Amino acid sequence: MAASSQSRSGRKFWLLGAGIVLVVALYTGGWFYAASTLKSTVLAAIGPGNKAGVSGECTDIDFRGFPFRIGLFCSKVDVDDNVNGVSASFGALRSAAQVYAPGHIVWELDSPAEIRTAHGLSVNAEWTNLQSSLVTKLKGIDHSSTIIDGLKATAVSSATGQTINFDAAHTELHLRQNGADLDGAISLTDAQTVIKDWPQVLPKLSTSADVTLAGKAGMIDGSDEKGLYGASGELRKAVADMGNGKVMTLSGPFSFDEEGYLTAQFKLQIEDVNAWRDSIKQGFPDIAKTVDTAAKLLKAMAGGGGTVSVDLVVQRGNATVSGFIPLGQIPPI
């Protein structure tokens, strides 16, 4: 009787032990599967494009945090989009998610970054800090937020020979799927853009923009096949604020053709033209006469008022005021 009882106890012990081993094995397998999913999700967020044509490589990849945290570390990240002809390389990547919320991922990315497109556009960028978070849904990424401090970037177009330099002390980018559309909001603090061979008319300022891209919800997670090529959308509001009432507002529909050229019918509103004129002349005395002439022309178009509203027309990259005052050529994306 005692021997039978001991035998049953032994079987229960081994069954319990086998059950624990099975649970640990399943948990471990699930952890590594979640880690692999984290890798593909983060790479899709860094280099969105057609998933079928995108390949990503993490140099010196290392998974950490087992058992309660899922962490992915790489010393370098390379992303290639063979469909859209885009390649990008970045510095070290650190990403993590809690096992009880694997769909909420936070990650950091180090500079420098280099992005090249088949259309001849190359972008080189550096920053002091880049942090992002994203939330996935059953299929793809639902929304994401990114914060960048100390951003400095240079874009060069081999097609036009044009160079654009950009820097911003603080940048925030928020994206979310809205049905089939993609909603985006961006804000920049102490930002400045310098376009080669264009008049340098704006000093550093703070800006924000709110935009919708029609039918482009998949751009947030890489499931969209064409990106901005052939895309259209609505710039609901873009604001440039120099303080003290000096505000510019831009809004209107836009589109990119299959070659990446911008076409748009924007409405540009400038509040307190005289204040803008004086500030720009103070910051850029070399173009004072040009600024005076432009201010007089704008005020004349507005009937002499202090707030000016004009049409900013872009036709396949050719930018003009009201369709007849040339501003210059915007390179393709």
Side-chain angles (χ1 to χ4, degrees), residues 242-258:
M242 287 176 52
N244 298 320
K246 297 186 286 292
V247 178
M248 284 187 183
T249 304
L250 190 70
S251 61
F254 65 90
S255 64
F256 293 96
D257 63 19
E258 297 296 338

Side-chain angles (χ1 to χ4, degrees), residues 15-331:
L15 287 173
L16 177 61
I20 293 174
V21 170
L22 179 60
V23 169
V24 171
L26 291 174
Y27 183 88
T28 302
W31 188 93
F32 279 102
Y33 174 79
S36 177
T37 301
L38 182 147
K39 173 188 172 183
S40 60
T41 301
V42 172
L43 289 179
I46 294 174
N50 180 11
K51 287 184 176 180
V54 173
S55 61
E57 180 179 351
C58 282
T59 304
D60 301 323
I61 188 169
D62 184 20
F63 294 105
R64 305 176 189 175
F66 183 83
F68 301 117
R69 187 177 175 86
I70 307 166
L72 169 68
F73 292 75
C74 308
S75 63
K76 182 183 177 183
V77 176
D78 294 288
V79 179
D80 288 304
D81 182 351
N82 297 322
V83 173
N84 294 310
V86 180
S87 63
S89 64
F90 305 89
L93 167 69
R94 299 170 295 279
S95 60
Q98 302 293 343
V99 292
Y100 54 81
H104 184 193
I105 300 169
V106 295
W107 53 278
E108 297 179 346
L109 189 65
D110 292 344
S111 63
E114 183 177 3
I115 303 171
R116 296 184 180 276
T117 75
H119 295 268
L121 180 66
S122 63
V123 180
N124 290 277
E126 295 183 350
W127 53 83
T128 57
N129 180 58
L130 188 158
Q131 296 181 327
S132 183
S133 67
L134 58 88
V135 175
T136 63
K137 56 182 182 179
L138 185 61
K139 184 179 180 180
I141 298 172
D142 183 69
H143 61 272
S144 68
S145 299
T146 302
I147 295 175
I148 308 174
D149 292 318
L151 174 63
K152 296 181 181 295
T154 298
V156 180
S157 172
S158 62
T160 64
Q162 206 161 54
T163 300
I164 301 175
N165 292 297
F166 172 82
D167 64 86
H170 183 79
T171 304
E172 292 193 22
L173 175 63
H174 305 277
L175 301 172
R176 71 179 180 91
Q177 292 194 22
N178 182 10
D181 301 335
L182 177 66
D183 289 338
I186 185 171
S187 62
L188 306 163
T189 303
D190 291 337
Q192 186 172 40
T193 301
V194 178
I195 304 177
K196 182 182 177 181
D197 299 329
W198 277 41
Q200 179 53 37
V201 297
L202 294 178
K204 287 197 173 183
L205 42 76
S206 295
T207 65
S208 62
D210 187 4
V211 63
T212 293
L213 291 172
K216 290 296 179 178
M219 285 185 65
I220 195 175
D221 58 19
S223 60
D224 181 84
E225 296 183 356
K226 298 180 65 176
L228 289 176
Y229 297 102
S232 62
E234 181 78 18
L235 179 61
R236 286 191 291 273
K237 191 175 185 180
V239 178
D241 189 349
M242 287 176 52
N244 298 320
K246 297 186 286 292
V247 178
M248 284 187 183
T249 304
L250 190 70
S251 61
F254 65 90
S255 64
F256 293 96
D257 63 19
E258 297 296 338
E259 295 179 351
Y261 284 99
L262 172 67
T263 293
Q265 186 73 41
F266 292 131
K267 180 68 69 175
L268 174 64
Q269 180 174 298
I270 306 174
E271 299 180 21
D272 198 345
V273 174
N274 290 335
W276 277 95
R277 178 200 61 198
D278 295 340
S279 295
I280 294 172
K281 287 171 62 177
Q282 182 179 1
F284 307 95
D286 293 342
I287 60 170
K289 291 183 178 180
T290 301
V291 173
D292 281 333
T293 301
K296 290 178 181 178
L297 178 60
L298 289 173
K299 291 181 71 174
M301 294 174 65
T307 298
V308 175
S309 181
V310 297
D311 292 326
L312 180 59
V313 180
V314 184
Q315 191 68 36
R316 291 202 83 242
N318 293 307
T320 62
V321 175
S322 298
F324 63 90
I325 303 176
L327 293 177
Q329 176 73 25
I330 300 174

